[in-house]
Amino acid sequence: MFQSNRHEHASGFIEFRTESLTGIRTRICPERVKRGIGVPDIPEYSEEGCPFCPEKVCQVTPVFPDGSRLKVGDSITFPNLYPFAHYHTVTVMSGEHVVRRFTYDLIHNALSGQIRAMKDQSGYVSINWNYLPSAGASLPHPHLQGLCDAVPDTLLMKYLRGSLEYYNEHNQSWWNYLKESESQTERCLKGTDLFWYAHHVPVGEKEIRCILPATTVSDFQASVSLFSEDLIRILEFYQDMGHGAWNMSIFFATDDEREYFSAFATLVARINPNPLSTSDTAFMEKLHLEPVILTLPEDLGNIWRNCNGNQ
Ligand SMILES: [Zn+2]
């Protein structure tokens, strides 16, 4: 699955890892965790001028071509006013500015809204979430963003290319091999409905992935209930470890890639909002395109087992 190379130094070690399929590289430096992630400092938002508050959202946000916005439970989905994809939608999950514990309904309604808004698009769809300003959220109210473009984004492209090469060479899906292989390791997060594991070459802190029984966003309808139940547990796991902010992306492909690609979700924990705007992303991530991670994925698996009765 990956190559690793550990460099010992006076106060600990750095582990360099490279994922075999994609060539993606990362470096893991557990000693740096002692610098701390900060305590959650969720900002107080004013209601003034907030376009996602219930009384405003239907007046100031764009509508779909038929003049509608899509409501599922308390969630509301509409086109993004400032798109950065050919098709870009927003789902406001809640009328509340701040949600501290996410319920099944909140997650399931919002994901269902995204699926309905994205399923008829042709191209590469992703469903994404920045939670809290330190994770990139620019407005209050937790909200998801659906993107669709004709060409896959950089990360998805690496997995699509790698998966096709692997399939041609081995006549089986890399994703099945991944599940088989990861389920034998301490990175596997057992006790969930779908397959979740701490990713072996993390691109972000405490990266956790779910391999979905799906390829396209339409397929996702069949497993969105199980996914929502699992996701609540993963978010509580992050919160129990002190992380109040995160990014999530769920990547889908097209019917043409069904034989060799599985849709997958990935989550990374982000630094908590803090008064100095200290960032967890610096020259290594932004300019070298090489993440520096604090937590070994194997340690994350162990914390999960400790929190979930040693499964
Ligand atoms: Zn608001």
Side-chain angles (χ1 to χ4, degrees):
M1 272 299 150
F2 65 96
Q3 293 90 49
S4 70
N5 176 6
R6 192 174 279 206
H7 169 71
E8 308 275 347
H9 58 78
S11 50
F13 67 87
I14 308 167
E15 189 158 317
F16 298 85
R17 290 191 180 186
T18 306
E19 189 177 32
S20 308
L21 188 85
T22 58
I24 290 171
R25 298 184 351 167
T26 196
R27 48 189 82 194
I28 305 167
C29 313
E31 308 332 307
R32 288 171 67 87
V33 79
K34 294 176 190 148
R35 300 189 319 161
I37 53 168
V39 290
D41 179 26
I42 300 176
E44 293 285 327
Y45 294 103
S46 128
E47 267 168 48
E48 207 178 326
C50 171
F52 290 173
C53 268
E55 59 279 10
K56 272 271 182 64
V57 72
C58 288
Q59 296 163 10
V60 301
T61 60
V63 290
F64 290 113
D66 67 357
S68 73
R69 296 178 188 86
L70 176 60
K71 289 186 184 171
V72 182
D74 288 340
S75 79
I76 178 161
T77 303
F78 45 85
N80 193 332
L81 185 58
Y82 303 107
F84 53 78
H86 278 101
Y87 190 73
H88 189 165
T89 61
V90 176
T91 297
V92 177
M93 299 167 80
S94 166
E96 300 292 324
H97 276 181
V98 174
V99 173
R100 287 175 198 275
R101 291 273 158 180
F102 288 88
T103 61
Y104 174 83
D105 283 346
L106 211 66
I107 299 272
H108 185 261
N109 289 338
L111 286 171
S112 300
Q114 276 288 310
I115 294 170
R116 276 197 230 167
M118 304 306 291
K119 68 181 169 47
D120 296 327
Q121 294 299 308
S122 61
Y124 292 89
V125 170
S126 63
I127 298 175
N128 308 276
W129 188 6
N130 301 325
Y131 187 57
L132 295 186
S134 55
S138 56
L139 284 168
H141 303 274
H143 55 282
L144 303 180
Q145 299 184 57
L147 269 60
C148 183
D149 279 301
V151 175
D153 288 348
T154 306
L155 185 92
L156 179 60
M157 180 76 94
K158 285 181 192 287
Y159 282 99
L160 284 170
R161 283 188 180 154
S163 304
L164 177 60
E165 272 174 35
Y166 186 92
Y167 184 78
N168 287 338
E169 204 172 311
H170 298 90
N171 207 26
Q172 67 149 332
S173 158
W174 179 77
W175 301 86
N176 291 338
Y177 167 59
L178 171 80
K179 281 195 279 186
E180 264 172 48
S181 149
E182 287 303 298
S183 63
Q184 316 289 325
T185 72
E186 50 194 329
R187 294 182 292 273
C188 185
L189 308 185
K190 295 209 167 107
T192 48
D193 287 312
L194 301 175
F195 184 82
W196 295 78
Y197 71 107
H199 187 60
H200 40 250
V201 181
V203 295
E205 180 58 20
K206 296 186 178 68
E207 183 178 12
I208 293 177
R209 291 193 182 182
C210 175
I211 310 305
L212 291 166
T215 300
T216 66
V217 67
S218 300
D219 301 340
F220 187 37
Q221 266 166 322
S223 52
V224 66
S225 298
L226 293 179
F227 179 81
S228 303
E229 281 176 18
D230 286 349
L231 182 60
I232 292 165
R233 293 185 57 190
I234 301 295
L235 298 180
E236 284 177 355
F237 182 48
Y238 273 174
Q239 288 174 314
D240 290 347
M241 289 187 290
H243 290 285
W246 51 77
N247 301 113
M248 178 180 81
S249 288
I250 313 174
F251 293 100
F252 301 96
T254 68
D255 260 328
D256 296 341
E257 286 122 349
R258 194 169 284 289
E259 271 183 299
Y260 59 88
F261 182 80
S262 281
F264 67 99
T266 179
L267 285 104
V268 295
R270 297 298 305 272
I271 196 169
N272 289 319
N274 61 82
L276 284 177
S277 302
T278 303
S279 174
D280 56 9
T281 306
F283 63 80
M284 286 302 285
E285 291 79 10
K286 298 298 289 180
L287 302 176
H288 293 223
L289 304 182
E290 186 148 319
V292 179
I293 309 294
L294 308 177
T295 309
L296 277 167
E298 295 72 26
D299 289 345
L300 190 54
N302 286 328
I303 304 170
W304 173 266
R305 275 182 291 284
N306 288 334
C307 295
N308 291 277
N310 290 309
Q311 274 156 340

